[in-house]
Amino acid sequence: MDFCTLNTGKLAWRSAGYGRVFQQFQPTRGFFTRYGGLSFQVTQNLGAEPPKKKKKIDPKQEQLRQHRYIKRLRKLQYKMGKAELKPIDELKIDRSLLDASRKRAVPEISEEEQEKRALLQKEWSKYRFDQHVKETRLIEDFLKSQEKALKELRSESEELYQQAIKVDNSLFPYEAIGPTYTPPIKDFEKTSLDGEYIDLTRQYK
Amino acid sequence: MAASYTLGLRRVFGLFAPLRSHQISLAQVSRQHRCKYCHSAPVESQAWKLMSGVCVERYPVISQQLNSIEKDFKDVCDAIELETSVLSEHEVQVIKDRERLKMRQSGELDEDIADDESDVITALDVEDLATEMFNQFQAAPRETEADEKNDTKSLNRKLDDKLILLVKEKLGDDLVWMLPQGYRESGESMKEVAERVLKLCSEEDSIKVKILGNAPVGVYKYKYPKAVQKELGVQGAKVFFFKAKLLQGEFKMRSDSNIKDFRWLTREELDSHLLKGYSDCVKKFIFPVSW
């Protein structure tokens, strides 16, 4: 028995091995709404699809058709000109930078200086770790404060709480400018002469 | 009575967890209606008034001054970067120019042949020109006029720190500094209350802010005096705080609002204006700029 359906009312049982096949054909085949002992029956073998009728094409004609297609493409390419590959500037390395003439004359770093730098590095990592710990504590405090607020709100009204825990979609995209080393000059755009520019970006085909 | 007072205070600060076991034993003794958490004399109502507060922050405009270790580390990083770098186009040009000058002085280079290059601007000239242009440019000062005058109403002060808006409002009989706050009216969500509060205390279109998130970032509970409690039938108020980012504009006080005064203060300056408990509560959700 390749496939069978047991129809009791609208409940259909399917054999495990052909489950997927059954699902594909479910809307049209193997589904019965009749009930009773006679409904238990073996359905058609659905392990394969009935073959499609193949169109007979003349192989010569087919070849010709493909030939024409390729010709058309070539013509199009000729019209557009040779494809120019866009270079990836970021990957290019200026070889002249490796020249000996580019070497900077650096005085030898004394051992004392090196020692000083190593010590500073250690001090710096301690300092940064300390900052990290403090920051973590601040965030923890913040989260506790927020959790407490939400708890208090929930104890007052479930509805208000549900409104509060909704995701605020307006937060993103987030935009922020600065901070800079010196504050912006008021009305700088109006007084400065900058503002005209020529776009030198290369265009590629 | 003294015990009830301390318990009441505990409630305000939200430390009710340890009290629960205590409550059961007492409830067995007396079946009178009692406050859920504290065991003072029967309270008529357990209701709280709901309020929203807004913490408007102006973010730093300029970077903070480096402290000593940061400065030392930056100097070393800069030195290492310079040591590992190669000469730039400009530096190469300077060296070339110098060599050419030397050759001409020694007579190795004929003036006539190198004529086409002789009146070219040298790299050093370019440098001088750029330096002159740079010197002409006057950057805005990091310390502003408002800093000198200590004008706490100006947003132009303490550019390297966060500023927080405080208002002076009448609470009972005294004027108290606090974050702008207001009562909730029925049908409003807490965030809507916060938006309305800001609208009511500032002049129209004077500031543009964005309230961040729908959830409150903190809560502060305070009890009304006994007489008021009886009169209103509520214990006190819960203030739910929302954080807001100042986008643009200057704060202008509305003349018909409840607030009497306002100030833009840094996180450190809050202590001197706010009540101790309130300040501790508020500072939890205001991050310092550096720590």
Side-chain angles (χ1 to χ4, degrees), chain B residues 69-89:
Chain B
I69 182 169
E70 282 168 348
K71 205 172 166 310
D72 288 348
F73 193 71
K74 182 184 175 288
D75 289 346
V76 167
C77 282
D78 287 350
I80 291 171
E81 199 168 308
L82 185 76
E83 283 157 19
T84 50
S85 69
V86 291
L87 293 178
S88 71
E89 210 66 57

Side-chain angles (χ1 to χ4, degrees), chain B residues 271-283:
Chain B
D271 281 336
S272 59
H273 285 73
L274 302 175
L275 295 171
K276 179 81 179 70
Y278 190 84
S279 160
D280 288 345
C281 171
V282 162
K283 274 172 123 184

Side-chain angles (χ1 to χ4, degrees), chain A residues 72-205:
Chain A
R72 203 168 65 221
L73 279 185
R74 284 214 180 116
K75 215 171 167 184
L76 204 73
Q77 203 172 27
Y78 179 76
K79 259 188 196 169
M80 278 164 69
K82 232 183 183 179
E84 200 176 350
L85 293 177
K86 188 182 169 187
I88 304 168
D89 290 328
E90 295 83 45
L91 291 180
K92 260 201 225 160
I93 298 167
D94 192 352
R95 304 291 294 183
S96 72
L97 290 178
L98 301 171
D99 272 6
S101 63
R102 288 270 187 161
K103 268 233 169 100
R104 193 181 289 279
V106 186
E108 193 79 19
I109 304 150
S110 67
E111 209 156 287
E112 213 174 289
E113 174 66 21
Q114 275 182 356
E115 187 70 17
K116 218 174 103 190
R117 282 182 188 182
L119 283 175
L120 185 67
Q121 179 88 47
K122 283 180 185 172
E123 208 184 323
W124 175 253
S125 42
K126 267 185 218 152
Y127 169 73
R128 293 295 288 173
F129 177 69
D130 196 36
Q131 270 192 334
H132 165 73
V133 170
K134 278 180 190 158
E135 188 183 7
T136 315
R137 268 189 210 139
L138 281 168
I139 294 170
E140 269 171 17
D141 277 355
F142 176 86
L143 287 177
K144 265 185 213 160
S145 162
Q146 181 157 53
E147 269 163 28
K148 191 182 152 196
L150 284 171
K151 216 167 123 191
E152 288 285 345
L153 190 62
R154 194 169 205 174
S155 73
E156 287 303 320
S157 155
E158 179 68 25
E159 192 198 343
L160 287 179
Y161 173 75
Q162 291 301 336
Q163 280 170 343
I165 58 168
K166 260 187 212 157
V167 176
D168 186 356
N169 288 322
S170 68
L171 284 177
F172 293 104
Y174 179 79
E175 217 177 88
I177 307 166
T180 49
Y181 185 69
T182 55
I185 299 170
K186 222 181 168 189
D187 297 330
F188 184 74
E189 292 100 331
K190 287 174 198 164
T191 51
S192 71
L193 293 168
D194 305 20
E196 278 176 41
Y197 64 91
I198 304 157
D199 192 359
L200 288 171
T201 319
R202 263 195 81 180
Q203 297 294 324
Y204 297 94
K205 268 185 228 171

Side-chain angles (χ1 to χ4, degrees), chain B residues 193-215:
Chain B
V193 182
E195 278 162 6
R196 182 171 54 86
V197 165
L198 263 188
K199 240 179 223 170
L200 283 181
C201 66
S202 63
E203 244 176 54
E204 223 172 297
D205 299 328
S206 63
I207 52 168
K208 213 172 132 193
V209 301
K210 179 172 171 51
I211 294 181
L212 304 170
N214 290 322

